[in-house]
Amino acid sequence: MGVYAVTGAASGMGRAVADKLTAEGHRVIGVDIQETDIVADLATAEGRRSAIDAVLTAADGRLDGAVLAAGLGPAPDPARLPVIAAVNYLGTVDLLEGWRPALAASGSARVVAFGSNSATTVPAVPRRAIAAFLAGDTERAVRAVKIFGKQAGPFVYAASKIAVSRWVRRHAVRPEWAGEGIRLNVIAPGAILTPLLERQLESPVEAKAIKAFPVPTGGFGKPEHIADWVCMMLSPSAEFLCGSVLFVDGGTDAYFRPDDWPRAVPLHRIAGYLRKFRGFSATRRAE
Ligand code: NAI
């Protein structure tokens, strides 16, 4: 049986994952700002450092997997934007960087980060915000969405989830992750009935927008179902799953984006590979 770190373990989908892993006989080290094994505020650098260290100590330097589910939804209060940005992005990538040696020590660790279908269904997310996240500068990311004024919440949220997904895909394939036996993947839920969604539904304006959003299957998802998918992504069956983003969203992403993906790889991205065995040369202009 394995040892798993689960952030956001006190509520919603993180809690559902922690419960399922525990029921399967695994040991779970929960991390959350609320009552769990390790209480830490992932919005601050000190909180993230203490969460990293406390998990490494509790796990004795070896983790079979990690689930990064701590996160905050889009809040209308502009004062909350820096906290949303820090928890959603740095609360995921800083912890993964800090835990990487312990994940490598297991030889076959599996990681699931929580993205969102907001990453592909919110329009006009500023590229500058995504770039700022990926540079680790969450304050600059927040400044980049300020143009949306009181409506900036969904944009900082979507940018944080795009950046988490891209960070995972960039790192998943590298020798220090894939080569060390660590599988990094993303789950991208749609609207799942958790306390986070319930809080949004309390506001009549947000509730109207959420209920009007097209969900081909209808209804909301269940945290227990997401936990089942996450546990599959942590299982030995996920050995060949690397850098994938799994949408479990009732079909909204497919509804809005049927033809956007899959699409052919741009030539310049595989030019190095082609050149190796065919003397092939390609430039961006050749596309
Ligand atoms: P939730 O609100 O039920 O659980 C989130 C957990 O994160 C809570 O236990 C909370 O205490 C913890 N957390 C918040 N701020 C923290 C901080 N500063 N430090 C440490 N822990 C903190 O939310 P839910 O719905 O279970 O969300 C889990 C993940 O799924 C989040 O990353 C969320 O963005 C994402 N997600 C949620 C969707 C939904 O419809 N519920 C849809 C798509 C993605």
Side-chain angles (χ1 to χ4, degrees):
M1 289 293 126
V3 178
Y4 294 89
V6 179
T7 74
S11 173
M13 291 182 269
R15 184 173 177 170
V17 170
D19 288 350
K20 187 170 168 65
L21 287 171
T22 306
E24 288 173 358
H26 300 292
R27 181 171 161 230
V28 170
I29 305 167
V31 177
D32 207 294
I33 198 167
Q34 311 176 47
E35 206 46 51
T36 185
D37 306 306
I38 291 162
V39 175
D41 181 0
L42 299 180
T44 69
E46 307 77 61
R48 293 190 292 275
R49 187 70 252 167
S50 79
I52 291 167
D53 293 342
V55 166
L56 292 177
T57 303
D60 206 13
R62 185 185 180 283
L63 279 172
D64 295 292
V67 177
L68 292 300
L72 290 166
D77 178 3
R80 295 290 291 162
L81 298 184
V83 182
I84 298 168
V87 175
N88 290 7
Y89 185 76
L90 298 174
T92 299
V93 308
D94 281 4
L95 269 57
L96 283 176
E97 296 277 20
W99 291 340
R100 199 197 60 79
L103 293 161
S106 120
S108 58
R110 318 262 183 259
V111 171
V112 181
F114 270 74
S116 167
N117 78 342
S118 291
T120 58
T121 61
V122 173
V125 179
R127 280 190 199 172
R128 280 186 301 134
I130 301 162
F133 271 120
L134 285 164
D137 189 342
T138 56
E139 287 171 17
R140 184 152 57 88
V142 169
R143 285 200 297 278
V145 299
K146 283 270 167 79
I147 45 165
F148 296 104
K150 286 184 180 160
Q151 313 302 325
F155 296 95
V156 80
Y157 181 78
S160 74
K161 295 299 187 178
I162 293 172
V164 162
S165 308
R166 287 197 193 162
W167 187 95
V168 165
R169 285 172 62 76
R170 287 179 181 187
H171 289 75
V173 296
R174 293 186 183 169
E176 60 273 30
W177 295 90
E180 297 277 353
I182 308 167
R183 299 293 172 263
L184 284 181
N185 294 289
V186 174
I187 189 146
I192 311 297
L193 200 53
T194 65
L196 182 152
L197 186 65
E198 281 161 6
R199 281 191 294 276
Q200 290 182 275
L201 291 169
E202 279 166 14
S203 142
V205 179
E206 283 187 71
K208 201 172 166 192
I210 290 166
K211 286 176 183 162
F213 210 54
V215 181
T217 60
F220 297 129
K222 297 182 176 64
E224 299 76 16
H225 290 174
I226 298 296
D228 289 343
W229 287 107
V230 169
C231 288
M232 184 68 169
M233 294 163 85
L234 296 173
S235 77
S237 304
E239 188 185 339
F240 211 46
L241 191 70
C242 178
S244 291
V245 180
L246 176 69
F247 285 83
V248 185
D249 73 341
T252 306
D253 174 68
Y255 177 88
F256 282 131
R257 317 282 307 263
D259 300 328
D260 286 348
W261 186 91
R263 61 172 53 208
V265 65
L267 197 51
H268 71 272
R269 294 240 176 229
I270 60 159
Y273 159 74
L274 291 173
R275 221 178 280 125
K276 259 188 204 160
F277 66 99
R278 300 182 78 177
F280 190 94
S281 93
T283 63
R284 276 170 186 263
R285 213 148 35 99
E287 280 170 39

